[in-house]
Amino acid sequence: MNIENELKSFFIDGFDFQVNSIEKNLQSTIGNVYMVYCNDNKYVIKIYNDIGHTKAMVNLYKVLEENNLYVPKVIHNSLDEEYTIFEDKYIIVYSFLKGRQITWNADKINLTDYEINKLAKTVRKLHDVTNNEVIGLQQLSFGNDMERKSVLHFDLTRNNIFIDDEQDKIGFIDFDDAKYGASVCDVAILIANLFFSKSKGANLEGMQKFIDAYYEDDLKIKELEVPRIKEFALMWIDYVLDGNEFDASTTESFEARKKLIMELL
């Protein structure tokens, strides 16, 4: 029996849903994500090796949901458990977050002013509601001199940011790389990912709009953190490149953004 069929049997036995099919999510970089297709809904299965990480994810999503952030919900099994032991691994089933992935203009790295403003306020809310909430997450290995700390998504790419136009919400998926550390690091990561590009260059006007909307009238924090954005963006890129083996195209993309950030920030 292949893994998809094993998971289908597991899901039918452990959850009160009519399962039509289960397919591996080929976009997952580590291959631990499966899509569950039911009659009326989709769900996401994630398979984890580590119980500590599993519990941290359960606790994190619970805190985010309690604070009305638009994120996937953890689906309890028929025994009302938040995760399930599967062979020697641990499974969490998540709801599928509805909406569209945030996208650039076809020619430029331009998000609309609405998207920038909404995104900035949502990221700030994520940081505010998790201030001093370690939740069992790994602590960031750099930038520990910063006073303001929170949960960091740590992978704020276009693939992980969704807009639900009907509900007027921006949401985040895939907190598996989440850390606890200096909040400005997430600001720097998002700026590096959404406002700098190997193929499209830099959108400094959009970046400034994001910064202004994120910090609003909090001038003291803005004065302390904005001068550090460049430093954190470069440290994050080095951290990612040192810790992963990417193909040549992905490495070139990171290096190109690093060069732009060094020159323009």
Side-chain angles (χ1 to χ4, degrees):
M1 182 181 294
N2 63 27
I3 183 65
E4 287 84 356
N5 287 335
E6 288 183 33
L7 287 171
K8 187 173 182 179
S9 296
F10 153 83
F11 203 87
I12 290 172
D13 291 340
F15 295 83
D16 297 323
F17 301 122
Q18 179 63 48
V19 180
N20 294 331
S21 64
I22 294 180
E23 299 176 7
K24 188 170 186 176
N25 185 333
L26 299 179
Q27 294 182 332
S28 168
T29 54
I30 60 175
N32 70 325
V33 182
Y34 293 81
M35 299 300 303
V36 181
Y37 296 92
C38 300
N39 289 341
D40 300 318
N41 289 301
K42 291 189 288 187
Y43 300 91
V44 179
I45 286 177
K46 289 198 174 184
I47 305 175
Y48 299 112
N49 296 318
D50 181 73
I51 184 60
H53 181 73
T54 303
K55 290 181 177 179
M57 288 299 98
V58 167
N59 292 334
L60 175 56
Y61 279 94
K62 188 182 298 183
V63 168
L64 299 179
E65 184 180 351
E66 287 172 352
N67 285 281
N68 297 313
L69 279 153
Y70 187 45
V71 296
K73 299 179 187 298
V74 173
I75 306 299
H76 291 212
N77 64 24
S78 56
L79 299 177
D80 200 31
E81 298 167 332
E82 295 162 316
Y83 67 89
T84 306
I85 298 175
F86 177 70
E87 297 178 350
D88 59 344
K89 300 183 186 302
Y90 309 92
I91 283 181
I92 298 178
V93 177
Y94 298 96
S95 64
F96 184 82
L97 199 70
K98 295 179 180 179
R100 58 182 174 87
Q101 289 179 325
I102 201 165
T103 56
W104 289 336
N105 176 290
D107 301 316
K108 303 177 182 178
I109 338 176
N110 284 349
L111 305 176
T112 67
D113 288 351
Y114 162 79
E115 290 170 336
I116 291 173
N117 185 67
K118 193 78 174 176
L119 177 58
K121 292 184 185 306
T122 307
V123 175
R124 180 60 187 265
K125 181 177 181 180
L126 165 65
H127 295 157
D128 285 347
V129 302
T130 60
N131 182 38
N132 295 322
E133 289 271 8
V134 181
I135 316 179
L137 297 172
Q138 177 185 349
Q139 299 208 31
L140 190 64
S141 60
F142 54 87
N144 292 321
D145 60 309
M146 301 301 292
E147 180 177 343
R148 193 172 67 102
K149 294 182 173 68
S150 65
V151 168
L152 310 174
H153 183 286
F154 211 65
D155 193 20
L156 287 171
T157 67
R158 287 178 293 148
N159 291 339
N160 292 330
I161 303 170
F162 279 70
I163 301 176
D164 188 322
D165 294 305
E166 291 183 4
Q167 299 186 72
D168 191 29
K169 290 181 178 179
I170 281 187
F172 306 122
I173 66 168
D174 196 2
F175 280 81
D176 283 318
D177 289 327
K179 307 277 189 294
Y180 175 79
S183 304
V184 68
C185 187
D186 252 1
V187 176
I189 292 169
L190 187 144
I191 285 172
N193 281 325
L194 267 67
F195 299 103
F196 289 86
S197 164
K198 174 187 173 183
S199 60
K200 300 176 185 294
N203 178 7
L204 299 182
E205 181 181 354
M207 178 193 72
Q208 190 59 54
K209 289 177 180 177
F210 175 84
I211 290 171
D212 290 342
Y214 178 89
Y215 289 101
E216 289 191 299
D217 297 327
D218 204 338
L219 299 182
K220 182 179 178 181
I221 293 178
K222 186 176 183 180
E223 184 178 331
L224 288 171
E225 294 188 355
V226 170
R228 303 288 298 275
I229 288 174
K230 177 178 180 178
E231 173 190 349
F232 272 90
L234 296 175
M235 287 193 293
W236 170 72
I237 290 174
D238 288 341
Y239 176 93
V240 172
L241 289 176
D242 289 344
N244 295 278
E245 293 185 7
F246 295 119
D247 58 35
S249 175
T250 302
T251 301
E252 287 173 11
S253 175
F254 274 107
E255 294 289 1
R257 277 180 282 164
K258 181 176 180 179
K259 185 173 185 292
L260 285 170
I261 289 167
M262 291 178 68
E263 292 174 351
L264 299 177
L265 272 187

